[in-house]
Amino acid sequence: MSLDLPPVAPSVTAELVAALPPRLRKRLDAGVAKLAARPAVREGDTVRIAVDDETDVVLHAPGGTVTGADAIRCGCLLAPGCLHRAAAASAAPVADETPAPGPAGAPEARGEAGTRGDTGPAARTGRAEGIGTEAATAGQRAAAQAVFDAAAAVLEAGADGAGAVLQAELLRAAHTARLAGLPRAGAAAVSVVTGVRAARSADPGHRLAGLAGALADTLGTAHRLPHATGPELARLRGRARQPYRPDGSLRLYGLFCEPVLTATGYAGAVTWTADADGRLYTVSDVAPGGPARATGAADRAVRIGDTALTHRELSRAGLAVSGATVSPTGRLGAGAGVRAVRASGATWRAEPLEKLWAVPAAEQVARALDGGQDLLFLEVAVTGTVREAAGDCLLADCAGLTLRLATAHDDPALPCRDNLRLLAAAGDGRRRIVARLVPGPLPRALLLATEHPCAPGARVDLGLDRLQHADLPAGAVAPQPSAVPAGDRDAAAPLHLLRRRVHQAVSGGRRVLAFAGGGSGDGGRLRRLGLATGADLLDGLHAAAADRSRDAFGRLLPADTGRFARAWLAAAVYLDTVERALCVNAWETAAAGASSPDPARSAAAGP
């Protein structure tokens, strides 16, 4: 959407859409598109949209978020039951009903559903609490079923057909889940709505794989929760808030700072630090906002004690903290009893930070895939660039492994893409980097920070610092992007046969898989390649898509959305599991150098 609107609570959007009569519901998507083209003016906590020369829609967002239906007002004759209020809520970002998030994969974004696709559908995140045979309550089982049904309806229609009404139903289910004590399912459902809106608005940050992952997480959590007990149930319930525990005194060293810019309307910065033992801690400043806040937050003072350090300064300096409080994910609290003063920092090649790069890459990847921290500390040499559908990415040698390094953000307001182009021209000298793992059959990561190309000891935060040609070695010229190597295509090809059908369903819904003969040969190809389970799941997915019963008069009966959703979920879980096994195998094989990979490990990576 082109409007700069404040985030709206899911319950508000659901309430306004539910209040519309059927004739107005049919016009809601058109109303959203029309409203997005109208001028809007922000005055403090109020945003005013001019519907026409005589009518305005006003959104009042104290604290940056619209939390009640009465905070959206319209001056038309049909108000308050008009289309304009529901359209404004549907056009706005979905507010996060938990504390403001960090970047995907960072503290406070984990433990709930993510939107990037790097959180698998098998409900890995969250922390088990308690043991025994405690079961979900009747209210929780009903709320989980509501989330499943609403998410299944979105899958049935696909992102292309999931308009504002279906989105509002899923938001209503998300709100019900939170009230029932299921924050994980609620957050997962909201992430699906956010992904669907990004897809329908052609948001440059939209990734189909991310939406597929969010949808699988939502369906998987809701499907499994009624049957779970004990620790599994605790994981699937999730937590609405991260508790902060006392952690005494800390001596921290700045690592890097990254911008936060989410599709849910939050922006800011997160600074990563480490202690002398290599444990990671973060300081964040995230609030409702857009790209300007993401770039500006780096120059704001960190919210810990009385220190005047900005995030940008802390990323290169140090911090001595007393009375520290820390969340389970490493986020530092800013309570009244916390004291902090500036201290000396350390370079990446000096103790204690150097030990982060001493951990073998394969071990770091295994830790990330097991639910640990997903940051990778690597030493690489850029060898070229490769052109992909999402844009060019760097090819780098990492201890004999060919690694792809992509941008963490594509928003043109951030310097990520421009910095990546300049790094391609900086030469093949080895330098240390910090990146975020992207699980998949080929080694891949998002580049976050790097040592400076020409200034020893200096480093560049690629989402905030803008490199110039003067920062490059003399005569540096960017190489021309190459095509995707044939070996890479071969490595990904077998699973691609299943992945493209899973993703097609997310984009176009059941109908794209229901055509007679569509993809009928893919199952046979998967079996010939040894992926018999994948072939069976793909055949089951096509069968569920094509299954439409008729009544005695030959009329089509309503589709069984539940059966199609379960078939799709099974395929998505299998795909995610195999891809993660292949990811571990790819990094471990590279670590073994020229020697053959462990046969047992290779077998584990198979179907």
Side-chain angles (χ1 to χ4, degrees), residues 24 111 170 254 321 332 338 340-341 370 423 463 468 496 570 578:
L24 291 183
L170 187 51
V321 186
L332 292 171
V338 179
V341 296
D370 196 36
L423 286 176
Q468 305 294 333
H496 174 67
V578 175

